[in-house]
């Protein structure tokens, strides 16, 4: 059998190789990032800009934009005159817009609204120097990408999502580099991602580990410890404080939860103290006389507390800015263009709009440092107007033009900033177009160049008219100064908005040749798949000739179902509804089973149970599994524990806590029955039975301790939260190792197995036993329920297809090729369970909390493995490794003794058909993202779907290869 074994196994490894090559080529072509230029901005670059015009004085190097020539490394003026002396940036990770904006701006008030009252009060009482903004982030909305976008002024790229846990240092020009390079002292505290992105750039830093989403307080407490004392020190120019509690509370408990509200109330108290300290030191000559406070989020979050995609809830965050140096009254003409409403006290609160793309260049402008070379943002006019110094006449050109009103002075200062801003963006676009592999479309570049020439030409004409006259004396811009400057502002803004629009549309480069090669290899793999199925089918026919007329309808039905699901990926709406589509097809297949069995006149109980299970799964998808059921803990229980209600909890809540344990007990009994029936190696049987029972006991301890319902000692809590999960992981690994050793060493200590079917049942049961406990604890309290649904669904699928899988005349078990319906149902059930457990094909669908079950500290390897097992456990690992039961069941009921090789030929057919279904749907996903690569939702929806599908395909191939080595 050794030779025939490798004949059957060889196609699996060939298909894995082809899929790996196809995905590698296509990914290299599809997930390219924009070219990151190595150029950096310097103060001396200013002399190259058209914003530096030699004035008609003896000093040919004088600039109309400043009092002195630019000097690199100076704390004074560089490209623009500094408008603030100190900058305090407080980042509240995953700060939703409705966390900050008053509730009367929304149709319905939610429990989490109006908790940051201090910001709303400041925006109401000091509206001329304080403002709330709706800040718009660019998807994908992972924290690393947002920090990179905020500091570089560029658009994020999808490939950076893969670095979210590695956080490689940013090599392109950025705001932090410019601060450090121009003598600004930067103090950072909080999320340690900052020190990974910008190593050796901070004068002082207090980083704290950021990836343990179950920890709501460590990072925040560390920031609180250092924040207030640091505000009273004078050894920094820029302070960055990054809080993480809201983000972690969202991931674990969701937005509408007691821990979330408690965090927002805590932040409100902290911000009150911060504002009080700043105001106390804001007097003339004070430490914060000219300080700007910015409180902002890096992205938003969904109601489930997740982020990473491009929905409105994820991209809409908040920014609050307050200047300690008040601007003059005319600031209202700039700020009151926003959306305003009256609060309950009759005071006006206005909400501005801020593109996060503009953050880096706006901060650089206010601090007087060079703009990051790759920035394509615009100096935000509203944020620029909040600071009092921007309303002062301070440049040489203004003096020559004569006296101006405050508004005209501000407009002139702002135009000067936009002039530099526009020149910087233009030189970046020019260099990018020359050095990039593909560059930007020629017609778009011509349009951008025309806008730039028009904007810069009109400004030069204004300056020449203002600075020169025929008799050599200075003339003045007449009474229409304001309108002339406004037109110039509009011209610069049109150019900058045009560049941003162009970048958002065509920023990511696509290597179409690599994409086509990858797609061709993928299509070739499908042909190899079909050829392998045909070859194995020919081997199957050598054991018995079978020609069934009734099976052709089943085969056509399966092909039709697979095609419907695959081609639905061409629509973004159907991708969003993929779980419901799979549930519909699964239910339809159950109804077809009823129709196919109508010839017998009997309706099996399994038919009805299968349809009921499908309704349960569909209901779970529709209702949406909440954080309470998905996580390992319950926010309801957490709230009781946090408020000390432990003695008087109701019977109903107690029963809710006991339900998962009851389901777990039922599951233990089922596992014992399965192991007892399928295990003939007595010693291993007892070990596996005891191991699984111990795992279930430890799971119960873990859930009870985390519930906080009962009073437990610190030792018991530490054991339940940390050591119990680790023991479960160790038992599962030990099961796997023992199974592998038992298949490779001498089996003289084992009871001999009577036939290959029994041997296959032993190995398959052992394999599932090794994985099941780990997957169960990662799924949390929903794990036992999901496992019961999975077991009952699998039992129904095998029972319903027994009759169709046995040739009535010969009594011989037919192959899965003659009736692939069970394999299709197996695949659809796996897809349904993926969505039933609260996952979905976007990065905000990753359940990060599962990666920290049993661990408190982040390690990219161990947390990555746990996250992968949680994500793909019930959708890939369990379904693929349990495929042998489809073959075992029909061989056990066959009337005649089966040939020894037929069992493994049928198993090969089942593996190949399952792999072909997965490969075909993934191929349509690849075709879909190729067609939709310029779609608005490409990075928010299509690209994540592609990543999940190709990873799932590779995992399926690997599991089939590993399973074949164990099972054959």
């Amino acid at each position: 059998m050794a030779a025939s074994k490798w004949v059957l196994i060889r196609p699996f490894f060939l298909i894995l190789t082809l899929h790996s090559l196809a995905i590698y080529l296509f990914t290299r072509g599809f997930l390219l990032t924009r070219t990151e230029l190595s150029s950096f901005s310097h103060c001396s670059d200013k002399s190259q800009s058209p914003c530096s015009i030699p004035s008609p004085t003896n000093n040919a190097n004088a600039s109309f934009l400043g009092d002195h020539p630019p000097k690199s490394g100076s704390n004074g003026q560089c490209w623009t005159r500094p408008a603030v002396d100190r900058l305090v940036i407080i980042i509240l990770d995953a700060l939703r817009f409705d966390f900050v904006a008053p509730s009367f701006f929304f149709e319905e008030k939610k429990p989490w609204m109006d908790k940051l009252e201090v910001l709303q009060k400041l925006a109401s009482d000091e509206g001329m120097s304080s403002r709330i903004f709706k800040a718009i982030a660019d998807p994908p909305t992972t924290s690393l990408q947002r920090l990179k976008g905020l500091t570089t002024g560029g658009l994020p790229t999808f490939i950076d999502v893969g670095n979210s846990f590695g956080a490689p240092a940013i090599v392109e020009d950025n705001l932090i580099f410019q601060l450090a390079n121009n003598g600004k002292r930067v103090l950072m505290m909080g999320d340690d991602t900052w020190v990974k992105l910008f190593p050796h750039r901070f004068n002082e830093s207090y980083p704290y580990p950021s990836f343990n989403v179950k920890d709501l307080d460590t990072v925040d407490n560390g920031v609180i410890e250092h924040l207030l004392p640091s505000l009273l020190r004078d050894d920094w120019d820029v302070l960055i404080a990054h809080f993480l509690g809201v983000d972690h509370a969202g991931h674990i408990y969701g937005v509408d939860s007691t821990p979330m509200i408690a965090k927002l109330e805590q932040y409100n108290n902290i911000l009150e103290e911060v504002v009080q300290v700043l105001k106390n030191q804001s007097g003339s000559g004070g430490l914060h006389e000219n300080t700007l406070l910015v409180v902002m989020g890096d992205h938003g979050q969904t109601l489930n507390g997740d982020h990473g995609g491009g929905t409105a809830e994820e991209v809409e965050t908040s920014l609050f800015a307050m200047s300690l140096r008040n601007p003059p009254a005319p600031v209202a003409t700039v700020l009151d263009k926003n959306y305003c409403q009256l609060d309950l006290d009759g005071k006006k609160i206005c909400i501005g709009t801020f593109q996060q793309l503009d953050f880096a260049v706006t901060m650089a402008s206010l601090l007087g440092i060079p703009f990051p070379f790759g920035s394509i943002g615009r100096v935000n006019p509203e944020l620029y107007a909040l600071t009092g110094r921007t309303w002062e006449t301070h440049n040489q050109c203004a003096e020559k033009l004569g006296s101006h009103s405050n508004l005209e002075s501000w407009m002139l200062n702002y135009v000067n900033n936009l002039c530099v801003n526009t020149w910087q963006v233009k030189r970046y676009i020019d260099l990018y177009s020359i050095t990039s592999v593909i560059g930007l479309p020629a017609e778009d570049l011509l349009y951008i160049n025309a806008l730039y020439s028009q904007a810069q030409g009109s400004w030069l004409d204004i300056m020449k008219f203002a600075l020169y006259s025929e008799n050599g004396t200075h003339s003045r811009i007449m009474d229409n100064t304001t309108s002339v400057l406004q037109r110039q502002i509009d011209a610069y803004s049109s150019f900058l908005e045009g560049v941003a629009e162009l970048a958002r549309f065509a920023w990511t480069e696509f290597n179409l040749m690599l994409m086509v090669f990858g797609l061709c290899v993928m299509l070739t793999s499908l042909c190899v798949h079909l050829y392998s199925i045909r070859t194995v089918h020919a081997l199957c026919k050598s054991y018995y000739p079978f020609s069934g007329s009734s099976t052709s309808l089943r085969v056509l039905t399966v092909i039709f179902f697979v095609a419907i699901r695959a081609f639905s990926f061409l629509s973004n709406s159907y991708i969003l509804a993929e779980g419901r589509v799979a549930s519909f097809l699964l239910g339809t297949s159950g109804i077809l089973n009823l129709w196919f069995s109508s010839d017998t006149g009997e309706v099996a109980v399994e038919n009805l149970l299968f349809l009921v299970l499908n309704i349960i799964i569909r209901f779970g998808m529709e209702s949406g599994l909440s954080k309470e059921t998905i996580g390992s803990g319950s926010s309801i229980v957490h709230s009781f524990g946090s408020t000390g209600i432990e003695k008087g909890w109701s019977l109903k809540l107690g029963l809710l806590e006991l339900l998962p344990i009851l389901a777990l007990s039922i599951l233990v009994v089922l596992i014992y029955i399965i192991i007892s029936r399928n295990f003939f190696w007595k010693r291993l049987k007892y070990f596996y039975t005891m191991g699984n029972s111990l795992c279930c006991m430890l799971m119960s301890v873990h859930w009870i301790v985390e519930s906080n319902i009962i009073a437990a000692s610190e030792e018991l809590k530490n054991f339940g939260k940390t050591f119990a999960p680790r023991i479960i992981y160790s038992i599962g690994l030990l099961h796997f190792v023992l199974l592998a050793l038992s298949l490779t060493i001498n089996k003289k200590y084992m009871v001999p197995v009577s036939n290959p079917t029994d041997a296959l049942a032993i190995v398959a049961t052992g394999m599932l036993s090794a994985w099941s406990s780990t997957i169960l604890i990662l799924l949390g309290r929903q794990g036992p329920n999901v496992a019961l649904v999975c077991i009952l669904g699998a039992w129904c699928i095998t029972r319903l297809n027994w009759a169709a899988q046995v040739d009535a005349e010969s009594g011989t078990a037919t192959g899965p090729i003659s009736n692939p319906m069970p394999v299709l149902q197996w695949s659809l059930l796996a897809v349904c369970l993926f969505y039933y457990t609260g996952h979905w094909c976007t990065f905000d669908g990753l359940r990060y909390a599962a990666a920290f079950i049993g661990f408190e500290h982040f390690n990219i390897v161990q947390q990555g493995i746990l996250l992968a097992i949680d994500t793909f456990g019930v959708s890939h690992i369990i379904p693929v490794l349990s495929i042998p039961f489809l073959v075992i069941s029909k061989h056990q009921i066959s009337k005649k003794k089966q040939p020894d090789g037929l069992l493994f030929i049928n198993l090969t057919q089942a593996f190949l058909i399952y792999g072909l279904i997965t490969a075909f749907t993934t191929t349509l996903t690849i075709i879909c993202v190729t067609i939709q690569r310029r779609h608005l939702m490409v990075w928010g929806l299509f690209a994540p779907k592609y990543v999940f599908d190709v990873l799932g395909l590779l995992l399926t191939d690997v599991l089939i290869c590993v399973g074949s080595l164990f099972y054959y």
Side-chain angles (χ1 to χ4, degrees):
M1 279 297 296
S4 60
K5 167 185 174 180
W6 288 108
V7 168
L8 296 175
I9 290 177
R10 193 180 299 120
F12 301 144
F13 289 89
L14 175 60
I15 291 169
L16 171 61
T17 302
L18 289 174
H19 286 168
S20 301
L21 177 61
I23 292 169
Y24 172 77
L25 291 174
F26 188 87
T27 302
R28 285 291 304 272
F30 176 61
L31 294 184
L32 288 174
T33 63
R34 59 182 172 83
T35 303
E36 294 185 353
L37 304 183
S38 58
S39 302
F40 289 78
S41 297
H42 302 281
C43 281
S44 57
D45 297 343
K46 171 69 174 315
S47 60
Q48 305 170 13
S49 76
C51 306
S52 296
I53 303 176
S55 62
T57 63
N58 294 331
N59 185 0
N61 294 322
S63 167
F64 74 79
L65 285 177
D67 303 322
H68 306 285
K71 181 181 179 182
S72 180
S74 172
N75 283 329
Q77 178 173 346
C78 181
W79 283 13
T80 59
R81 186 173 184 271
V84 297
D85 297 328
R86 310 185 91 191
L87 177 61
V88 178
I89 302 174
I90 297 178
I91 299 176
L92 307 180
D93 207 292
L95 185 70
R96 285 169 58 100
F97 174 59
D98 55 6
F99 284 169
V100 177
S103 58
F104 52 78
F105 278 88
F106 304 93
E107 295 181 357
E108 181 182 358
K109 183 176 180 179
K110 299 293 184 179
W112 58 83
M113 294 180 180
D114 297 333
K115 300 304 177 184
L116 297 178
E117 296 176 346
V118 60
L119 301 183
Q120 297 178 6
K121 189 174 186 300
L122 289 170
S124 174
D125 295 345
E126 304 181 27
M128 294 300 102
S129 60
S130 301
R131 186 56 47 112
I132 294 173
F133 297 89
K134 176 191 284 188
I136 309 298
D138 289 286
T141 49
T142 55
S143 293
L144 179 140
Q145 289 173 294
R146 287 290 79 239
L147 294 183
K148 185 173 182 179
L150 284 169
T151 54
T152 62
L155 292 173
T157 50
F158 183 83
I159 200 67
D160 290 334
V161 174
N163 297 324
S164 293
F165 294 100
I170 294 177
V171 296
E172 60 181 321
D173 198 359
N174 58 80
L175 180 64
I176 305 301
F177 169 82
Q178 290 298 338
L179 290 170
N181 197 50
N182 288 275
K184 300 294 184 182
R185 300 161 297 175
V186 185
L187 169 63
M188 193 287 303
M189 57 192 71
D191 187 347
D192 63 351
T193 304
W194 286 89
V195 295
K196 297 175 183 177
L197 293 175
F198 311 103
H200 315 301
R201 296 298 181 192
F202 301 110
N203 294 73
E204 191 175 352
S205 62
Y206 301 97
Y208 297 91
S210 59
F211 288 113
N212 187 355
V213 293
K214 297 173 64 179
D215 185 352
L216 273 60
D217 301 313
T218 298
V219 176
D220 290 357
N221 291 341
V223 174
I224 294 170
E225 178 185 353
H226 298 286
L227 178 56
L228 294 176
S230 298
L231 293 176
L232 300 175
R233 293 161 41 188
D234 62 355
D235 58 349
W236 55 267
D237 300 299
V238 177
L239 184 151
I240 301 172
H242 193 144
F243 290 85
L244 280 175
V246 162
D247 180 62
H248 289 184
H251 281 301
I252 301 298
Y253 304 108
V255 171
D256 191 5
S257 64
T258 301
M260 176 65 76
I261 294 174
K263 268 295 164 189
L264 293 174
E265 291 173 345
Q266 180 190 25
Y267 288 171
N268 186 70
N269 295 332
I270 296 168
L271 292 174
E272 280 185 343
E273 296 182 36
V274 169
V275 171
Q276 190 61 43
V277 170
L278 293 177
K279 285 190 173 182
N280 291 340
Q281 300 288 326
S282 64
S284 179
L287 191 61
H288 297 292
E289 178 185 3
N290 191 28
T291 295
L292 178 67
L293 169 66
V294 176
V295 181
M296 62 184 297
D298 53 346
H299 51 74
Q301 58 178 302
T302 64
L303 291 179
N304 281 333
D306 302 311
H307 58 87
T311 64
E313 290 179 308
E314 295 166 276
V315 300
E316 291 180 0
T317 180
S318 297
L319 185 146
F320 169 85
M322 182 182 74
S323 172
L324 276 298
R325 183 168 183 174
N326 296 336
V331 70
T333 59
V334 179
L335 298 180
D336 282 354
K337 299 176 182 179
N338 301 314
Y339 179 48
C340 302
Q341 285 195 15
L342 299 179
D343 61 14
L344 297 178
D345 297 327
K347 297 180 180 179
K348 183 168 63 174
I349 296 183
C350 298
I351 303 292
T353 302
F354 184 90
Q355 296 289 334
Q356 283 194 350
L357 187 68
D358 302 338
F359 180 81
V361 67
T362 302
M363 295 300 107
S365 173
L366 292 172
L367 291 167
I369 60 175
F371 304 164
F373 189 88
S375 171
I376 58 171
R378 178 186 67 151
V379 177
N380 184 272
E382 299 163 49
L383 197 53
Y384 185 79
L386 285 178
T387 56
R389 191 178 289 174
T390 62
W391 295 81
E392 299 173 356
T393 301
H394 54 74
N395 62 63
Q396 186 177 354
C397 176
E399 294 172 0
K400 294 175 181 179
L401 291 174
S403 61
H404 286 75
S405 66
N406 285 330
L407 178 59
E408 291 170 345
S409 297
W410 177 86
M411 295 179 73
L412 186 58
N413 293 331
Y414 182 57
V415 168
N416 291 339
N417 278 265
L418 285 185
C419 179
V420 179
N421 191 179
T422 301
W423 162 74
Q424 164 56 33
V425 172
K426 180 61 166 58
R427 74 165 183 167
Y428 168 68
I429 291 296
D430 288 344
L431 184 60
Y432 182 87
S433 300
I434 296 173
T435 59
S436 177
V437 177
I438 298 177
L440 298 171
E443 59 275 13
D444 292 328
L445 285 177
L446 289 175
Y447 173 71
I448 292 299
N449 288 335
L451 287 178
Y452 179 77
S453 299
Q454 179 182 357
Q456 208 65 292
S458 60
W459 178 236
L460 294 178
D461 291 339
I462 294 173
M463 289 301 100
K464 290 177 181 179
F465 176 74
L467 293 173
Y468 303 103
S469 65
E470 294 180 0
N471 56 9
T473 61
H474 304 298
S475 61
R476 295 184 180 183
I477 298 178
M478 305 307 292
D479 295 336
N480 62 343
T481 301
T482 302
S483 60
V484 169
L485 293 176
Q486 185 59 54
R487 286 197 298 271
Q488 191 59 42
I489 290 174
D490 294 340
Y492 282 139
S493 297
S494 296
F495 168 79
L496 294 170
E497 290 169 1
V499 171
E501 183 180 356
L502 168 63
R504 286 190 174 96
F505 177 75
W507 198 251
T508 302
E509 301 170 352
F510 299 104
N511 189 324
L512 292 179
M513 185 173 293
L514 282 178
M515 292 172 67
V516 170
F517 282 160
L519 182 56
C520 290
V521 175
M522 195 68 192
L523 294 173
T524 302
S525 73
L526 295 181
C527 296
V528 172
H529 231 131
L530 292 171
Y531 177 78
S532 300
I533 291 175
R534 180 180 178 183
T535 302
V536 175
H537 187 51
L539 286 174
C540 187
K541 281 189 174 182
S542 66
Y543 285 90
Y544 66 93
F546 177 78
S547 57
S549 58
S550 62
T551 59
S552 59
L553 180 58
R554 297 176 183 270
V555 174
L556 291 175
T557 302
V558 169
I559 294 174
F560 181 67
F561 275 31
V562 172
I564 286 178
R565 178 168 177 260
F567 283 99
S568 71
F569 296 157
L570 295 173
S571 167
N572 61 321
S573 299
Y574 279 102
I575 290 178
L576 290 171
E578 182 184 4
R580 283 173 284 175
V581 171
S583 176
F584 172 79
L585 294 176
L586 185 63
T588 305
S589 69
I591 296 174
L592 286 176
N593 279 333
L594 284 173
W595 182 59
F596 287 143
S597 63
S598 61
D599 295 338
T600 63
E602 297 180 0
V603 178
V605 177
E606 293 86 354
N607 266 317
L608 300 178
L609 178 59
F610 184 75
L611 293 176
V612 170
L613 287 174
N614 186 65
I615 293 173
I616 292 174
I617 295 174
R618 180 62 178 268
F619 178 76
M621 295 179 193
E622 292 294 336
S623 60
L625 293 176
S626 64
K627 292 289 177 180
E628 290 85 349
T629 57
I630 292 175
S632 59
S634 167
S635 67
I636 298 176
V637 177
H638 183 282
S639 64
F640 283 140
S642 62
T643 55
I645 305 176
E646 294 165 348
K647 298 180 181 179
W649 56 285
S650 67
L651 178 62
K652 182 178 179 180
L653 287 174
L655 291 175
L656 288 176
E657 286 299 311
L658 293 175
L659 279 178
I661 299 176
L662 178 62
L664 192 62
S665 303
I666 299 173
L667 188 62
V668 170
V669 175
L670 286 177
I671 292 175
Y672 174 77
I673 294 173
I674 293 172
I675 293 178
S676 298
R677 287 185 176 180
N678 292 318
F679 254 100
F680 299 92
W681 296 341
K682 291 186 178 180
R683 297 185 182 182
L684 269 186
K685 177 173 71 174
Y686 295 143
F687 178 80
Y688 272 63
T689 302
M690 290 187 295
N692 281 285
S693 300
L694 178 59
C695 287
C696 292
M697 292 174 59
L698 291 172
M699 266 184 259
S700 301
V701 173
H702 175 71
W703 293 336
I704 291 174
V705 167
E706 280 215 332
S707 68
N708 290 331
I709 287 294
I710 63 172
S713 62
E714 288 299 322
E715 292 78 10
L716 181 58
K717 287 184 178 180
N718 186 49
F719 174 80
K721 290 183 178 180
T722 304
F723 291 102
R726 295 182 184 182
I727 295 174
I728 293 173
Y729 303 150
S730 302
I731 292 175
L733 180 61
L734 184 59
H735 280 183
F736 184 81
V737 172
L738 285 177
L739 182 63
L741 290 176
S742 68
L743 295 173
T744 55
I745 64 176
N746 192 339
K747 300 178 182 177
K748 64 180 180 180
Y749 298 107
M750 307 292 180
V751 175
V753 181
S754 58
N755 58 66
T757 303
D758 294 337
L760 182 59
I762 292 172
V763 181
T765 304
M767 184 72 80
L768 292 176
S769 178
W771 285 96
S772 58
S773 297
T774 297
I775 294 173
L776 277 177
I777 193 170
L778 293 179
L779 288 175
R781 283 176 168 80
Q782 65 170 342
N785 299 327
V786 174
L788 290 175
V789 170
C790 183
I791 291 174
L792 291 176
W795 180 76
C796 290
I797 291 173
T798 55
R799 294 279 299 182
L800 288 173
N801 292 279
W802 278 0
Q805 289 173 333
V806 177
D807 184 6
E809 295 181 2
S810 65
T812 306
T814 64
I817 292 179
S818 301
N819 179 29
M821 182 64 77
V823 183
L824 172 67
Q825 291 177 325
W826 211 262
S827 175
L828 291 175
L829 179 62
V831 176
C832 291
L833 289 176
F834 177 79
Y835 289 93
Y836 179 66
T837 50
H839 296 92
W840 52 92
C841 291
T842 57
F843 291 103
D844 56 350
L846 294 174
R847 303 192 306 116
Y848 299 103
F852 290 91
I853 294 178
F855 299 94
E856 295 296 330
H857 302 289
F858 175 76
N859 178 282
I860 190 170
V861 176
Q862 67 186 18
Q863 265 59 65
I865 292 174
L866 292 179
L867 186 62
I869 294 174
D870 172 71
T871 303
F872 297 107
V874 295
S875 61
H876 292 76
I877 297 176
I878 295 298
V880 173
L881 295 180
S882 60
I883 286 177
F885 289 104
L886 287 175
V887 179
I888 292 170
S889 61
K890 64 187 181 64
H891 276 259
Q892 288 176 338
I893 64 162
S894 178
K895 298 178 182 178
K896 294 185 178 180
K897 185 178 183 301
Q898 306 297 312
D900 291 341
L902 183 60
L903 173 70
F904 298 103
I905 290 176
N906 289 160
L907 180 58
T908 302
Q909 290 177 327
F911 274 140
L912 286 172
I913 294 173
Y914 191 94
L916 179 61
I917 292 173
T918 307
F920 183 73
T921 54
T922 303
T923 302
L924 263 294
T925 300
I926 293 175
I927 294 174
C928 170
V929 296
T930 303
I931 297 173
Q932 307 285 10
R933 64 187 183 277
R934 296 298 182 188
H935 194 280
L936 181 64
M937 295 293 293
V938 62
W939 304 125
L941 181 64
F942 292 107
K945 171 63 177 170
Y946 165 77
V947 171
F948 274 82
D949 276 10
V950 297
L951 289 178
L953 175 63
L954 291 178
L955 181 59
T956 299
D957 290 340
V958 170
L959 289 171
I960 289 176
C961 291
V962 172
S964 65
L965 295 176
F966 275 80
Y967 296 152
Y968 287 67

